[in-house]
Amino acid sequence: MYADAANVSERQLQPPALAISTVIFALRPSATSGRPTLWLPLVRRIRQPHLGKWALPGGPLAQVESLQDAASRNLRETTGLVPNYLEQLYAFGGLDRAATQRLVSIVYWALVQPDEAALTRESENVKWFRADRLEALAFDHNSIVDYALWRLRSKVEYGSIAYHFLGETFTLAQVREVYEAVLDRHLDPANFRRQLRATPDITPTDDYLQGVRHRPPRLYRYTGAAGTLGAQAQPAQAQPAQAASTSVSTSASTD
Amino acid sequence: MYADAANVSERQLQPPALAISTVIFALRPSATSGRPTLWLPLVRRIRQPHLGKWALPGGPLAQVESLQDAASRNLRETTGLVPNYLEQLYAFGGLDRAATQRLVSIVYWALVQPDEAALTRESENVKWFRADRLEALAFDHNSIVDYALWRLRSKVEYGSIAYHFLGETFTLAQVREVYEAVLDRHLDPANFRRQLRATPDITPTDDYLQGVRHRPPRLYRYTGAAGTLGAQAQPAQAQPAQAASTSVSTSASTD
DNA sequence: TCAGTTAAAGTCAATCTGACATTAACTGAT
DNA sequence: ATCAGTTAATGTCAGATTGACTTTAACTGA
């Protein structure tokens, strides 16, 4: 649309191309063990460069939308997903990210609940992959996913984003499974319970999960700050950092 | 150079303008109390929009440099500063950040040591300001500074960046003063000492600070991971997140 | 009714934290 | 030369937190 007729010297004068991509995480049962594990959806490249390889969903930034809106819209268009957690990850701008042009990618990361993830418009060119068993992706997308995984792990250790993997109500064991899948280690059920019961943001309901072949566990609900974190909240601002709850409304912010 | 002759419909087709800015922090003694407080350098706008207002140092991204190199170069050119800590803060891309054009700013944040800060090329158009007493800045730079302050505080609470405010060797009391200035609260000297002595990254030297009118305190040295953090290190990657120690070399990374 | 399973609550030692006390080492003033 | 003032450095102790483990509760399916 604009980079096609440019020769090298003209290209020098053009600003770098700007793209938005998103790393989306969801928990799905492992094919083998059945335990929940981290998965992410990728789309197949249908043009050069890297034609045929799998890549993060993404696209150019339209003039009339904010960065987060661009990420949200692109996600919906390419995969059908509407995440309930969406936050900026990092701006990648290395010189040799793309062979044909100077490309700066502003990357977001998102969490979706299992029922949402099940609605993905999967196809020949859109598929879910296990996050820990990725093949070679297009561009530098492998290292971007690694960085997103690192960020996910540190945020989970901090506290209050694990609930975005779960539905409205959940058992404490389900929360523990999220932690175990993300951090990749076993946690003592009794101690984990004690800690969760000590945090004020997670409230017991009067309901119990039915249909299990043992004592029915109580259901809980997350009642912390709106769509996002609790421990270290980001400052109330006009446009920036905020991880908005797009399940309510993409543009409705808390201020 | 490129946005000047464009009418509205042509502008729609152009990619958003890309700029790099940096929030630089240093500790300087307060004019009143003498205690160290947070300061940052700003540059006065010499063109529209916001002519005459103070703003974060920044400028356009050149085609041939990485994002971090662009931040580093721009900093050196506008203020003369060469920070020993430089990390990406956030990409700001709201629709109404600049009146005349769609502008996406990738903002970095930096820490400089007092002796480095003293070398600033101050002038009519470059001045240091107390971070907690800022007037109305150009664009959305007030909220960007607020966000950078929030990030600085959370990173300091975590652990190992406070040393980038200090020189090669330092007393434990000086480290405590950094914490107190950044977190803005009093810390018990005895307990603070106990915690620092427990971390392996901070090693005692055989030297003592001379010239004080009381028992001379021992000097320590930071011996943790290279230029950046220690507690939660970012994954080894080709281009991205890394906060590089530019006092060694901007491009020399650890991998 | 019993075996199997997980929920839920409790125990206990080890560790960590915050508040505070004590002693050490220097300077500057009398 | 001694003393008051100041901060360094170490120690004490009660209360909170953590990790490992035990016990009892509540369900299902054989």
Side-chain angles (χ1 to χ4, degrees), chain A residues 11-12 14 16 61-65 67 88 90-93 95-97 102 140 143 147 150 158 233-234 237 239-241, chain B residues 11-12 14 16 61-65 67 88 90-93 95-96 102 140 143 147 150 158 233-234 237 239-241:
Chain A
R11 191 174 294 148
Q12 287 287 82
Q14 294 163 4
L61 171 69
Q63 275 288 344
V64 294
E65 58 190 355
L67 301 180
Q88 194 181 108
Y90 199 79
F92 295 85
L95 290 176
D96 45 2
R97 296 189 60 242
R102 175 69 194 278
D140 53 356
S143 61
Y147 182 54
W150 173 82
Y158 251 116
Q234 288 165 0
Q237 300 161 104
Q239 309 135 323
Chain B
R11 191 175 292 149
Q12 287 286 83
Q14 294 163 6
L61 171 68
Q63 276 287 345
V64 294
E65 58 190 356
L67 301 179
Q88 194 180 108
Y90 199 79
F92 295 84
L95 289 176
D96 46 1
R102 176 68 194 279
D140 53 356
S143 61
Y147 182 54
W150 173 82
Y158 249 115
Q234 288 166 359
Q237 299 162 105
Q239 308 137 323

Short mmCIF file of all heavy atoms in Angstrom, two decimals, chain A residues 11-12 14 16 61-65 67 88 90-93 95-97 102 140 143 147 150 158 233-234 237 239-241, chain B residues 11-12 14 16 61-65 67 88 90-93 95-96 102 140 143 147 150 158 233-234 237 239-241:
data_model
loop_
_atom_site.label_atom_id
_atom_site.label_comp_id
_atom_site.label_asym_id
_atom_site.label_seq_id
_atom_site.Cartn_x
_atom_site.Cartn_y
_atom_site.Cartn_z
N ARG A 11 13.30 4.43 0.86
CA ARG A 11 12.93 3.69 2.07
C ARG A 11 13.66 4.23 3.30
O ARG A 11 13.15 4.22 4.40
CB ARG A 11 13.27 2.20 1.87
CG ARG A 11 12.70 1.30 2.94
CD ARG A 11 12.94 -0.16 2.61
NE ARG A 11 12.21 -0.57 1.42
CZ ARG A 11 12.65 -1.50 0.56
NH1 ARG A 11 13.80 -2.09 0.76
NH2 ARG A 11 11.93 -1.83 -0.48
N GLN A 12 14.86 4.71 3.09
CA GLN A 12 15.62 5.32 4.18
C GLN A 12 14.84 6.45 4.84
O GLN A 12 14.96 6.70 6.03
CB GLN A 12 16.95 5.89 3.65
CG GLN A 12 17.98 4.83 3.30
CD GLN A 12 18.60 4.19 4.53
OE1 GLN A 12 18.01 3.28 5.12
NE2 GLN A 12 19.75 4.68 4.92
N GLN A 14 11.58 6.76 4.88
CA GLN A 14 10.30 6.37 5.45
C GLN A 14 10.48 5.95 6.91
O GLN A 14 11.50 5.39 7.27
CB GLN A 14 9.71 5.20 4.67
CG GLN A 14 9.33 5.57 3.25
CD GLN A 14 9.16 4.34 2.39
OE1 GLN A 14 9.25 3.22 2.90
NE2 GLN A 14 8.92 4.53 1.11
N PRO A 16 9.93 3.54 10.12
CA PRO A 16 9.83 2.08 10.17
C PRO A 16 8.38 1.64 10.14
O PRO A 16 7.49 2.35 10.63
CB PRO A 16 10.46 1.73 11.52
CG PRO A 16 11.28 2.92 11.89
CD PRO A 16 10.59 4.10 11.27
N LEU A 61 -0.99 -1.39 12.26
CA LEU A 61 -1.75 -0.51 13.16
C LEU A 61 -2.56 0.47 12.32
O LEU A 61 -2.01 1.24 11.54
CB LEU A 61 -0.77 0.25 14.06
CG LEU A 61 -1.34 1.37 14.93
CD1 LEU A 61 -2.23 0.79 16.01
CD2 LEU A 61 -0.23 2.19 15.53
N ALA A 62 -3.86 0.44 12.50
CA ALA A 62 -4.69 1.40 11.77
C ALA A 62 -4.57 2.78 12.42
O ALA A 62 -4.28 2.91 13.60
CB ALA A 62 -6.14 0.94 11.76
N GLN A 63 -4.79 3.80 11.59
CA GLN A 63 -4.61 5.17 12.06
C GLN A 63 -5.57 5.55 13.18
O GLN A 63 -5.25 6.37 14.02
CB GLN A 63 -4.82 6.13 10.88
CG GLN A 63 -3.59 6.35 10.04
CD GLN A 63 -2.55 7.21 10.76
OE1 GLN A 63 -2.86 7.85 11.75
NE2 GLN A 63 -1.32 7.19 10.27
N VAL A 64 -6.75 4.97 13.17
CA VAL A 64 -7.80 5.49 14.03
C VAL A 64 -8.02 4.69 15.30
O VAL A 64 -9.03 4.86 15.98
CB VAL A 64 -9.14 5.56 13.27
CG1 VAL A 64 -9.02 6.59 12.16
CG2 VAL A 64 -9.48 4.20 12.70
N GLU A 65 -7.09 3.81 15.65
CA GLU A 65 -7.31 3.00 16.84
C GLU A 65 -6.09 3.07 17.75
O GLU A 65 -4.97 3.24 17.28
CB GLU A 65 -7.60 1.55 16.45
CG GLU A 65 -6.49 0.93 15.63
CD GLU A 65 -6.85 -0.42 15.04
OE1 GLU A 65 -7.94 -0.92 15.33
OE2 GLU A 65 -6.02 -0.96 14.29
N LEU A 67 -3.30 1.48 20.45
CA LEU A 67 -2.50 0.27 20.33
C LEU A 67 -3.26 -0.93 20.86
O LEU A 67 -3.31 -2.00 20.25
CB LEU A 67 -1.19 0.44 21.11
CG LEU A 67 -0.29 1.60 20.66
CD1 LEU A 67 0.97 1.66 21.52
CD2 LEU A 67 0.07 1.47 19.19
N GLN A 88 0.16 -4.79 27.42
CA GLN A 88 1.31 -4.64 26.52
C GLN A 88 2.49 -5.42 27.06
O GLN A 88 2.74 -5.44 28.26
CB GLN A 88 1.68 -3.15 26.40
CG GLN A 88 2.62 -2.86 25.25
CD GLN A 88 3.00 -1.39 25.15
OE1 GLN A 88 4.11 -0.98 25.45
NE2 GLN A 88 2.05 -0.57 24.72
N TYR A 90 5.92 -5.72 25.11
CA TYR A 90 7.21 -5.11 24.79
C TYR A 90 7.17 -4.62 23.36
O TYR A 90 6.42 -5.14 22.54
CB TYR A 90 8.33 -6.14 24.97
CG TYR A 90 9.69 -5.54 25.11
CD1 TYR A 90 10.11 -5.01 26.33
CD2 TYR A 90 10.59 -5.51 24.04
CE1 TYR A 90 11.37 -4.47 26.47
CE2 TYR A 90 11.85 -4.96 24.18
CZ TYR A 90 12.24 -4.44 25.40
OH TYR A 90 13.48 -3.89 25.54
N ALA A 91 8.00 -3.63 23.07
CA ALA A 91 8.16 -3.17 21.69
C ALA A 91 9.48 -3.73 21.16
O ALA A 91 10.54 -3.44 21.71
CB ALA A 91 8.16 -1.65 21.62
N PHE A 92 9.39 -4.54 20.12
CA PHE A 92 10.57 -5.15 19.54
C PHE A 92 10.97 -4.38 18.29
O PHE A 92 10.16 -4.20 17.39
CB PHE A 92 10.30 -6.61 19.19
CG PHE A 92 10.03 -7.46 20.40
CD1 PHE A 92 8.75 -7.53 20.95
CD2 PHE A 92 11.04 -8.17 21.01
CE1 PHE A 92 8.50 -8.29 22.07
CE2 PHE A 92 10.80 -8.94 22.14
CZ PHE A 92 9.52 -9.01 22.67
N GLY A 93 12.23 -3.94 18.26
CA GLY A 93 12.63 -3.07 17.14
C GLY A 93 14.03 -3.32 16.64
O GLY A 93 14.66 -2.42 16.12
N LEU A 95 17.19 -4.36 14.33
CA LEU A 95 17.39 -3.98 12.94
C LEU A 95 17.09 -5.11 11.97
O LEU A 95 16.63 -4.88 10.85
CB LEU A 95 18.83 -3.51 12.72
CG LEU A 95 19.16 -2.17 13.38
CD1 LEU A 95 20.63 -1.84 13.20
CD2 LEU A 95 18.29 -1.09 12.77
N ASP A 96 17.34 -6.35 12.38
CA ASP A 96 17.25 -7.46 11.43
C ASP A 96 16.07 -8.38 11.74
O ASP A 96 16.13 -9.58 11.51
CB ASP A 96 18.55 -8.26 11.46
CG ASP A 96 19.01 -8.49 12.89
OD1 ASP A 96 18.29 -8.06 13.82
OD2 ASP A 96 20.06 -9.11 13.08
N ARG A 97 14.99 -7.80 12.25
CA ARG A 97 13.83 -8.63 12.58
C ARG A 97 13.17 -9.14 11.31
O ARG A 97 12.68 -10.26 11.25
CB ARG A 97 12.82 -7.84 13.40
CG ARG A 97 13.35 -7.42 14.76
CD ARG A 97 12.24 -6.84 15.62
NE ARG A 97 11.19 -7.81 15.82
CZ ARG A 97 9.94 -7.66 15.42
NH1 ARG A 97 9.59 -6.56 14.78
NH2 ARG A 97 9.05 -8.59 15.64
N ARG A 102 12.42 -2.40 7.64
CA ARG A 102 12.61 -2.13 9.06
C ARG A 102 11.25 -2.23 9.73
O ARG A 102 10.33 -1.48 9.39
CB ARG A 102 13.19 -0.73 9.26
CG ARG A 102 13.31 -0.33 10.73
CD ARG A 102 14.37 -1.15 11.44
NE ARG A 102 14.33 -1.05 12.88
CZ ARG A 102 14.86 -0.07 13.59
NH1 ARG A 102 15.46 0.92 12.99
NH2 ARG A 102 14.80 -0.08 14.91
N ASP A 140 11.23 -13.36 14.74
CA ASP A 140 11.82 -13.64 16.05
C ASP A 140 10.74 -14.07 17.04
O ASP A 140 10.86 -13.86 18.25
CB ASP A 140 12.56 -12.41 16.58
CG ASP A 140 11.66 -11.17 16.56
OD1 ASP A 140 10.52 -11.28 16.07
OD2 ASP A 140 12.10 -10.11 17.03
N SER A 143 11.49 -16.12 20.40
CA SER A 143 12.01 -15.42 21.58
C SER A 143 10.96 -14.49 22.18
O SER A 143 10.96 -14.23 23.38
CB SER A 143 13.29 -14.66 21.25
OG SER A 143 13.05 -13.68 20.26
N TYR A 147 9.78 -14.64 26.06
CA TYR A 147 9.69 -13.47 26.93
C TYR A 147 8.30 -13.36 27.54
O TYR A 147 8.16 -13.06 28.74
CB TYR A 147 10.04 -12.21 26.15
CG TYR A 147 10.03 -10.96 26.99
CD1 TYR A 147 10.76 -10.88 28.16
CD2 TYR A 147 9.25 -9.87 26.62
CE1 TYR A 147 10.74 -9.74 28.95
CE2 TYR A 147 9.23 -8.72 27.40
CZ TYR A 147 9.97 -8.67 28.56
OH TYR A 147 9.94 -7.54 29.34
N TRP A 150 8.02 -15.77 30.34
CA TRP A 150 8.72 -15.27 31.53
C TRP A 150 7.85 -14.25 32.26
O TRP A 150 7.70 -14.28 33.47
CB TRP A 150 10.06 -14.65 31.12
CG TRP A 150 10.74 -13.97 32.25
CD1 TRP A 150 11.50 -14.54 33.21
CD2 TRP A 150 10.67 -12.57 32.56
NE1 TRP A 150 11.91 -13.59 34.11
CE2 TRP A 150 11.43 -12.37 33.73
CE3 TRP A 150 10.05 -11.47 31.95
CZ2 TRP A 150 11.58 -11.12 34.32
CZ3 TRP A 150 10.20 -10.23 32.54
CH2 TRP A 150 10.96 -10.06 33.70
N TYR A 158 3.50 -13.19 41.52
CA TYR A 158 3.07 -12.02 42.27
C TYR A 158 1.71 -12.16 42.86
O TYR A 158 1.42 -11.71 43.93
CB TYR A 158 3.08 -10.81 41.36
CG TYR A 158 4.17 -9.89 41.70
CD1 TYR A 158 5.19 -9.64 40.82
CD2 TYR A 158 4.21 -9.29 42.95
CE1 TYR A 158 6.22 -8.80 41.15
CE2 TYR A 158 5.24 -8.45 43.28
CZ TYR A 158 6.24 -8.20 42.38
OH TYR A 158 7.25 -7.36 42.71
N ALA A 233 -0.82 -2.41 41.68
CA ALA A 233 -1.64 -1.80 40.65
C ALA A 233 -0.86 -0.71 39.93
O ALA A 233 -0.01 -0.05 40.50
CB ALA A 233 -2.90 -1.20 41.25
N GLN A 234 -1.14 -0.56 38.67
CA GLN A 234 -0.51 0.52 37.93
C GLN A 234 -1.27 1.81 38.18
O GLN A 234 -2.45 1.79 38.49
CB GLN A 234 -0.49 0.16 36.44
CG GLN A 234 0.51 -0.95 36.16
CD GLN A 234 0.32 -1.57 34.81
OE1 GLN A 234 -0.56 -1.17 34.08
NE2 GLN A 234 1.15 -2.54 34.49
N GLN A 237 -4.15 6.28 34.88
CA GLN A 237 -3.65 7.18 33.84
C GLN A 237 -4.66 7.27 32.72
O GLN A 237 -5.54 6.43 32.60
CB GLN A 237 -2.35 6.66 33.25
CG GLN A 237 -1.25 6.51 34.25
CD GLN A 237 -0.18 5.60 33.72
OE1 GLN A 237 0.87 6.02 33.30
NE2 GLN A 237 -0.49 4.31 33.69
N GLN A 239 -4.09 7.15 29.15
CA GLN A 239 -4.03 6.19 28.06
C GLN A 239 -3.22 4.93 28.33
O GLN A 239 -3.49 3.91 27.74
CB GLN A 239 -3.42 6.86 26.82
CG GLN A 239 -4.11 8.14 26.48
CD GLN A 239 -3.11 9.22 26.16
OE1 GLN A 239 -2.06 9.29 26.77
NE2 GLN A 239 -3.42 10.05 25.20
N PRO A 240 -2.20 4.95 29.20
CA PRO A 240 -1.14 3.97 29.00
C PRO A 240 -1.36 2.58 29.56
O PRO A 240 -2.34 1.95 29.25
CB PRO A 240 0.06 4.63 29.67
CG PRO A 240 -0.53 5.53 30.68
CD PRO A 240 -1.95 5.80 30.29
N ALA A 241 -0.49 2.17 30.42
CA ALA A 241 -0.21 0.78 30.78
C ALA A 241 -1.42 -0.14 30.97
O ALA A 241 -1.41 -1.26 30.51
CB ALA A 241 0.63 0.75 32.03
N ARG B 11 -2.70 11.41 4.75
CA ARG B 11 -2.16 11.11 6.07
C ARG B 11 -2.76 9.82 6.62
O ARG B 11 -2.10 9.07 7.32
CB ARG B 11 -2.46 12.27 7.02
CG ARG B 11 -1.73 12.19 8.34
CD ARG B 11 -1.97 13.44 9.17
NE ARG B 11 -1.35 14.61 8.57
CZ ARG B 11 -1.84 15.84 8.69
NH1 ARG B 11 -2.95 16.04 9.35
NH2 ARG B 11 -1.24 16.86 8.13
N GLN B 12 -3.99 9.56 6.26
CA GLN B 12 -4.63 8.31 6.69
C GLN B 12 -3.82 7.09 6.26
O GLN B 12 -3.79 6.09 6.95
CB GLN B 12 -6.04 8.21 6.08
CG GLN B 12 -7.04 9.15 6.70
CD GLN B 12 -7.49 8.70 8.08
OE1 GLN B 12 -6.81 8.95 9.06
NE2 GLN B 12 -8.61 8.03 8.14
N GLN B 14 -0.56 7.02 5.71
CA GLN B 14 0.79 6.96 6.25
C GLN B 14 0.79 6.21 7.57
O GLN B 14 -0.14 6.30 8.35
CB GLN B 14 1.32 8.38 6.47
CG GLN B 14 1.52 9.14 5.19
CD GLN B 14 1.64 10.62 5.46
OE1 GLN B 14 1.68 11.03 6.60
NE2 GLN B 14 1.71 11.41 4.40
N PRO B 16 1.84 5.68 11.47
CA PRO B 16 2.00 6.67 12.53
C PRO B 16 3.47 7.05 12.67
O PRO B 16 4.36 6.24 12.40
CB PRO B 16 1.51 5.93 13.77
CG PRO B 16 0.69 4.81 13.28
CD PRO B 16 1.25 4.44 11.95
N LEU B 61 13.16 8.03 15.44
CA LEU B 61 13.97 6.81 15.37
C LEU B 61 14.66 6.75 14.01
O LEU B 61 14.01 6.76 12.98
CB LEU B 61 13.05 5.60 15.54
CG LEU B 61 13.66 4.22 15.28
CD1 LEU B 61 14.68 3.88 16.36
CD2 LEU B 61 12.57 3.17 15.23
N ALA B 62 15.99 6.71 14.04
CA ALA B 62 16.71 6.60 12.76
C ALA B 62 16.59 5.17 12.23
O ALA B 62 16.37 4.22 12.98
CB ALA B 62 18.17 6.98 12.95
N GLN B 63 16.69 5.04 10.90
CA GLN B 63 16.49 3.74 10.27
C GLN B 63 17.53 2.72 10.69
O GLN B 63 17.27 1.53 10.72
CB GLN B 63 16.55 3.92 8.74
CG GLN B 63 15.24 4.33 8.12
CD GLN B 63 14.24 3.18 8.09
OE1 GLN B 63 14.61 2.03 8.28
NE2 GLN B 63 12.99 3.50 7.87
N VAL B 64 18.73 3.16 11.00
CA VAL B 64 19.84 2.22 11.13
C VAL B 64 20.20 1.89 12.57
O VAL B 64 21.27 1.35 12.84
CB VAL B 64 21.09 2.76 10.41
CG1 VAL B 64 20.83 2.82 8.92
CG2 VAL B 64 21.44 4.14 10.96
N GLU B 65 19.35 2.22 13.53
CA GLU B 65 19.70 1.95 14.92
C GLU B 65 18.57 1.21 15.61
O GLU B 65 17.40 1.37 15.27
CB GLU B 65 20.00 3.25 15.66
CG GLU B 65 18.84 4.23 15.63
CD GLU B 65 19.20 5.62 16.15
OE1 GLU B 65 20.33 5.79 16.61
OE2 GLU B 65 18.33 6.50 16.10
N LEU B 67 16.10 0.27 18.87
CA LEU B 67 15.34 1.17 19.73
C LEU B 67 16.20 1.67 20.89
O LEU B 67 16.23 2.86 21.19
CB LEU B 67 14.10 0.44 20.27
CG LEU B 67 13.13 -0.10 19.22
CD1 LEU B 67 11.97 -0.81 19.90
CD2 LEU B 67 12.63 1.03 18.33
N GLN B 88 13.55 -0.44 28.50
CA GLN B 88 12.32 0.03 27.88
C GLN B 88 11.22 0.16 28.93
O GLN B 88 11.09 -0.70 29.80
CB GLN B 88 11.88 -0.94 26.78
CG GLN B 88 10.82 -0.36 25.87
CD GLN B 88 10.39 -1.33 24.77
OE1 GLN B 88 9.29 -1.89 24.78
NE2 GLN B 88 11.27 -1.55 23.82
N TYR B 90 7.64 1.62 28.09
CA TYR B 90 6.31 1.36 27.55
C TYR B 90 6.20 2.04 26.19
O TYR B 90 6.89 3.01 25.93
CB TYR B 90 5.24 1.92 28.49
CG TYR B 90 3.88 1.34 28.30
CD1 TYR B 90 3.56 0.10 28.82
CD2 TYR B 90 2.90 2.03 27.59
CE1 TYR B 90 2.30 -0.45 28.65
CE2 TYR B 90 1.63 1.49 27.41
CZ TYR B 90 1.34 0.25 27.95
OH TYR B 90 0.10 -0.29 27.77
N ALA B 91 5.29 1.53 25.37
CA ALA B 91 4.99 2.19 24.10
C ALA B 91 3.66 2.90 24.24
O ALA B 91 2.63 2.27 24.50
CB ALA B 91 4.93 1.17 22.97
N PHE B 92 3.68 4.21 24.10
CA PHE B 92 2.47 5.01 24.25
C PHE B 92 1.92 5.35 22.86
O PHE B 92 2.64 5.90 22.03
CB PHE B 92 2.77 6.29 25.02
CG PHE B 92 3.18 6.03 26.44
CD1 PHE B 92 4.50 5.73 26.75
CD2 PHE B 92 2.25 6.06 27.46
CE1 PHE B 92 4.90 5.48 28.06
CE2 PHE B 92 2.62 5.81 28.77
CZ PHE B 92 3.95 5.51 29.06
N GLY B 93 0.65 5.01 22.64
CA GLY B 93 0.12 5.18 21.30
C GLY B 93 -1.31 5.68 21.25
O GLY B 93 -2.03 5.39 20.31
N LEU B 95 -4.62 7.91 20.70
CA LEU B 95 -4.96 8.62 19.47
C LEU B 95 -4.70 10.12 19.57
O LEU B 95 -4.36 10.77 18.59
CB LEU B 95 -6.44 8.38 19.13
CG LEU B 95 -6.76 6.98 18.66
CD1 LEU B 95 -8.26 6.81 18.46
CD2 LEU B 95 -6.02 6.71 17.36
N ASP B 96 -4.88 10.68 20.75
CA ASP B 96 -4.82 12.13 20.88
C ASP B 96 -3.59 12.61 21.63
O ASP B 96 -3.62 13.61 22.32
CB ASP B 96 -6.08 12.63 21.57
CG ASP B 96 -6.39 11.77 22.79
OD1 ASP B 96 -5.61 10.83 23.06
OD2 ASP B 96 -7.39 12.04 23.47
N ARG B 102 -0.63 11.51 14.23
CA ARG B 102 -0.68 10.30 15.02
C ARG B 102 0.74 9.94 15.42
O ARG B 102 1.60 9.70 14.57
CB ARG B 102 -1.28 9.14 14.21
CG ARG B 102 -1.29 7.82 14.95
CD ARG B 102 -2.26 7.87 16.12
NE ARG B 102 -2.08 6.78 17.05
CZ ARG B 102 -2.56 5.55 16.87
NH1 ARG B 102 -3.24 5.24 15.80
NH2 ARG B 102 -2.35 4.62 17.79
N ASP B 140 1.67 14.15 26.81
CA ASP B 140 1.21 13.39 27.99
C ASP B 140 2.39 13.03 28.89
O ASP B 140 2.36 12.02 29.58
CB ASP B 140 0.48 12.12 27.53
CG ASP B 140 1.33 11.30 26.56
OD1 ASP B 140 2.44 11.76 26.21
OD2 ASP B 140 0.89 10.21 26.16
N SER B 143 2.03 12.03 32.72
CA SER B 143 1.59 10.67 33.09
C SER B 143 2.67 9.64 32.75
O SER B 143 2.76 8.61 33.40
CB SER B 143 0.26 10.33 32.43
OG SER B 143 0.37 10.36 31.02
N TYR B 147 4.19 7.02 35.44
CA TYR B 147 4.32 5.58 35.20
C TYR B 147 5.76 5.12 35.43
O TYR B 147 6.00 4.07 36.03
CB TYR B 147 3.84 5.24 33.79
CG TYR B 147 3.90 3.77 33.49
CD1 TYR B 147 3.26 2.85 34.31
CD2 TYR B 147 4.61 3.29 32.39
CE1 TYR B 147 3.32 1.50 34.03
CE2 TYR B 147 4.66 1.94 32.11
CZ TYR B 147 4.02 1.05 32.93
OH TYR B 147 4.08 -0.28 32.67
N TRP B 150 6.36 4.82 39.05
CA TRP B 150 5.75 3.59 39.58
C TRP B 150 6.66 2.40 39.29
O TRP B 150 6.90 1.56 40.14
CB TRP B 150 4.37 3.40 38.97
CG TRP B 150 3.77 2.08 39.32
CD1 TRP B 150 3.11 1.77 40.46
CD2 TRP B 150 3.81 0.89 38.55
NE1 TRP B 150 2.73 0.46 40.44
CE2 TRP B 150 3.15 -0.11 39.28
CE3 TRP B 150 4.35 0.57 37.30
CZ2 TRP B 150 3.01 -1.41 38.81
CZ3 TRP B 150 4.21 -0.73 36.83
CH2 TRP B 150 3.54 -1.69 37.57
N TYR B 158 11.79 -4.78 44.58
CA TYR B 158 12.23 -6.11 44.22
C TYR B 158 13.65 -6.39 44.59
O TYR B 158 14.02 -7.48 44.99
CB TYR B 158 12.10 -6.32 42.71
CG TYR B 158 11.02 -7.28 42.41
CD1 TYR B 158 9.90 -6.88 41.72
CD2 TYR B 158 11.13 -8.59 42.82
CE1 TYR B 158 8.89 -7.77 41.44
CE2 TYR B 158 10.12 -9.48 42.55
CZ TYR B 158 9.00 -9.07 41.85
OH TYR B 158 8.00 -9.95 41.59
N ALA B 233 15.67 -12.37 36.69
CA ALA B 233 16.37 -12.00 35.45
C ALA B 233 15.48 -12.27 34.25
O ALA B 233 14.66 -13.17 34.25
CB ALA B 233 17.65 -12.79 35.33
N GLN B 234 15.64 -11.46 33.26
CA GLN B 234 14.90 -11.69 32.03
C GLN B 234 15.62 -12.75 31.20
O GLN B 234 16.82 -12.92 31.31
CB GLN B 234 14.78 -10.37 31.26
CG GLN B 234 13.81 -9.44 31.96
CD GLN B 234 13.91 -8.02 31.45
OE1 GLN B 234 14.71 -7.74 30.60
NE2 GLN B 234 13.08 -7.15 31.99
N GLN B 237 18.01 -13.41 25.43
CA GLN B 237 17.39 -13.32 24.12
C GLN B 237 18.29 -12.54 23.17
O GLN B 237 19.19 -11.84 23.60
CB GLN B 237 16.08 -12.56 24.20
CG GLN B 237 15.06 -13.22 25.08
CD GLN B 237 13.97 -12.25 25.47
OE1 GLN B 237 12.88 -12.31 24.98
NE2 GLN B 237 14.31 -11.32 26.34
N GLN B 239 17.40 -9.90 20.87
CA GLN B 239 17.30 -8.44 20.83
C GLN B 239 16.57 -7.79 21.99
O GLN B 239 16.83 -6.65 22.30
CB GLN B 239 16.57 -8.03 19.53
CG GLN B 239 17.16 -8.64 18.31
CD GLN B 239 16.09 -9.15 17.38
OE1 GLN B 239 15.08 -9.66 17.85
NE2 GLN B 239 16.30 -9.03 16.09
N PRO B 240 15.64 -8.46 22.64
CA PRO B 240 14.61 -7.68 23.33
C PRO B 240 14.97 -7.10 24.68
O PRO B 240 15.94 -6.40 24.81
CB PRO B 240 13.49 -8.68 23.46
CG PRO B 240 14.14 -10.00 23.44
CD PRO B 240 15.46 -9.86 22.80
N ALA B 241 14.21 -7.45 25.65
CA ALA B 241 14.03 -6.74 26.91
C ALA B 241 15.28 -6.21 27.60
O ALA B 241 15.28 -5.11 28.10
CB ALA B 241 13.30 -7.64 27.89
#
